[in-house]
């Protein structure tokens, strides 16, 4: 059977009635921007994350820029960010006036470590963006111990857990994307920022609303970046199911292991203590391209998301690092996402592994 790279519709199908009702509730209310649905979602999402505050914004990219602005990041500052990530993790930095400084990742976890961040520290470092890539969770406490504020880029890690708490509760601030393919997703663009710090939360609330509390006095040059009522209402239907979906993602990873995927390729390694809600299940192989071709030929989804790491993208040339990033180069060269979803079955995993085996062992 052909297995898609991800499956967003099967988990949502049983919720269709509730989602329709939520949409109707918003239409009937006549309130579309910063109304009761956003306020309720912010309370519920903060509670879920174990954070004191959550603030809905328009998308995960704005969330990062606004989180950095709340930390007073600006011209002359440096922000450390991994190069093996989605482009937006770094793209969010220059609009603050600061300079992205690219650091390496551990290719086994795809995440930054205290060592890779330390290697990029300078007296100008104002913040670190720790990306919780593919659902793994970077070691935030170890990085914060270096003495710089950590912004968690948690766009891909809703539903993951760590012994110290969930993503969203670990750094100075954390940012989420609710883009339709994410673990917790809306039907358009959406995002949120969480923090334990009331002052930072107030700054974020102001920045998302033109730098104003009241649309009369404008205290900062801010943004028009709000989660809207429709998306918040849709997210509220889904949030109670996030943990079950995360369990499904972990079960899918177990199915791959049980079917012998680990004999063929390097499986992603959870950071110590982390139970990742695998957003993408990304394996590594020196023969990643042959594996991709074989999976495609068998009708299975597969994708090399970040073959060109961010520091080598044309728009980031001005910020190219002096040294090399060996972990990044390895991850970029060898990674391949294979199908993953909350409902991926043992039989589906076995079919994907059989196609991989044929490509990597039989040939
Ligand atoms: C790691 C990471 N950071 C940031 C973003 C940006 O989120 P958005 O697409 O909502 O702007 C995404 C997702 O798209 C992402 O995967």
């Amino acid at each position: 059977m052909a297995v898609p790279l991800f499956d967003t519709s099967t988990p949502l199908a049983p919720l269709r009635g509730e989602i329709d009702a939520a949409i109707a509730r918003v239409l009937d209310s006549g309130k579309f921007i910063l109304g009761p649905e956003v306020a309720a979602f912010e309370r519920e999402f903060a509670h879920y994350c174990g954070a004191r505050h959550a603030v809905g914004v328009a998308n995960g990219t704005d969330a990062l820029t606004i989180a950095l602005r709340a930390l007073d990041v600006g011209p002359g500052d440096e922000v450390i960010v991994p190069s093996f990530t989605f482009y937006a993790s770094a793209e969010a930095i220059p609009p603050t006036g600061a300079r992205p400084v690219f650091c390496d990742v551990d290719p086994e976890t795809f995440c930054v470590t205290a060592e890779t961040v330390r290697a990029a520290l300078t007296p100008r470092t104002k913040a670190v963006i720790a990306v919780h890539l593919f659902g793994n969770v970077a070691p935030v406490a170890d990085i914060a111990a270096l003495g710089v504020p950590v912004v968690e880029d948690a766009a891909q890690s809703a539903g993951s857990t760590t012994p110290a708490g969930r993503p969203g509760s670990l750094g100075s601030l954390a940012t989420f994307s609710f883009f339709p393919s994410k673990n917790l997703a809306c039907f358009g663009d959406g995002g949120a920022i969480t923090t334990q710090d009331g002052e930072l939360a107030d700054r974020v609330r102001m920045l998302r609303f033109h730098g104003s509390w009241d649309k009369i006095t404008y205290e900062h040059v801010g943004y028009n970046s709000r989660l809207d009522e429709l998306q918040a209402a849709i997210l509220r239907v889904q949030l109670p199911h996030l943990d079950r979906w995360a369990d499904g993602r972990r079960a899918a990873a177990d199915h791959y292991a049980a079917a012998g995927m680990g004999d063929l390729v390097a499986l992603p390694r959870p950071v110590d203590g982390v139970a990742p809600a695998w957003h993408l299940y990304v394996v590594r192989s020196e023969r990643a391209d042959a594996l991709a071709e074989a999976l495609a030929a068998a009708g299975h989804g597969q994708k090399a998301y970040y073959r060109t790491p961010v520091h080598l993208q044309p728009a980031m040339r001005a910020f190219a690092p002096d040294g090399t990033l060996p972990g990044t180069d390895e991850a970029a060269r060898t990674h391949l996402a294979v199908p993953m979803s909350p409902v991926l079955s043992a039989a589906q995993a076995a079919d994907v592994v059989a196609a991989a085996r044929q490509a990597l062992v039989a040939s």
Side-chain angles (χ1 to χ4, degrees), residues 57-118:
V57 294
N59 57 66
T61 310
D62 281 5
L64 280 167
T65 302
I66 291 172
L68 293 173
R69 287 279 314 276
L71 287 172
D72 238 356
V73 169
D77 295 330
E78 294 178 353
V79 176
I80 296 174
V81 65
S83 172
F84 190 73
T85 179
F86 178 54
Y87 177 68
S89 304
E91 182 192 27
I93 299 168
T96 67
R99 182 184 172 85
V101 173
F102 291 102
C103 74
D104 212 358
V105 293
D106 176 347
E108 293 187 2
T109 64
F110 300 112
C111 285
V112 299
T113 67
E115 289 68 39
T116 67
V117 169
R118 188 186 286 116

Side-chain angles (χ1 to χ4, degrees), residues 6 9-10 33 40 59 77 98 123 154 168 197 234 238 243 299 307 357:
F6 48 83
S9 48
T10 305
I33 299 287
N59 57 66
D77 295 330
D197 182 319
I234 291 162
Q238 296 183 57
D243 279 342
R307 215 34 113 225
R357 181 167 289 119

Side-chain angles (χ1 to χ4, degrees), residues 92-324:
I93 299 168
T96 67
R99 182 184 172 85
V101 173
F102 291 102
C103 74
D104 212 358
V105 293
D106 176 347
E108 293 187 2
T109 64
F110 300 112
C111 285
V112 299
T113 67
E115 289 68 39
T116 67
V117 169
R118 188 186 286 116
L121 278 176
T122 79
R124 289 175 182 265
T125 306
K126 190 75 179 258
V128 176
I129 295 177
V131 183
H132 300 326
L133 203 66
F134 303 145
N136 221 341
V137 182
V140 174
D142 295 352
I143 298 164
L146 298 171
V148 275
V150 177
V151 175
E152 302 173 66
D153 180 345
Q156 299 188 7
S157 67
S160 300
T161 62
T162 85
R166 290 185 183 282
S169 69
L170 308 171
S172 296
L173 298 128
T175 64
F176 290 84
S177 164
F178 305 127
F179 183 81
S181 62
K182 294 291 194 266
N183 291 1
L184 177 66
C186 59
F187 296 169
D189 278 310
I193 299 168
T194 58
T195 180
Q196 309 287 15
D197 182 319
E199 271 178 41
L200 288 176
D202 283 349
R203 286 157 89 152
V204 165
R205 278 185 198 287
M206 234 194 220
L207 285 166
R208 79 162 167 189
F209 188 70
H210 303 287
S212 174
W213 280 122
D214 52 11
K215 234 178 170 181
I216 295 171
T217 305
Y218 298 88
E219 296 184 28
H220 306 283
V221 175
Y223 306 85
N224 175 5
S225 183
R226 301 168 302 219
L227 183 67
D228 65 63
E229 287 284 288
L230 273 172
Q231 302 302 347
I234 291 162
L235 287 163
R236 291 184 68 203
V237 175
Q238 296 183 57
L239 183 59
H241 302 276
L242 180 57
D243 279 342
R244 185 167 52 81
W245 292 337
D247 285 344
R249 291 174 181 279
R250 285 187 278 272
D254 291 344
H255 295 326
Y256 277 124
M261 190 66 133
D263 302 335
L264 307 171
V265 294
L267 302 179
R269 181 169 66 76
V271 170
D272 289 348
V274 171
W278 296 111
H279 170 57
L280 298 170
Y281 200 66
V282 178
V283 301
R284 285 178 300 128
S285 168
E286 290 297 338
R287 298 174 63 201
D289 290 339
L291 177 60
E293 264 175 47
L295 294 184
H300 302 317
Q302 40 67 43
K303 187 166 173 179
Y305 274 84
Y306 312 129
R307 215 34 113 225
T308 304
V310 181
H311 74 282
L312 297 178
Q313 296 292 344
M316 291 290 151
R317 257 180 220 133
F319 310 116
D322 293 337
T324 56

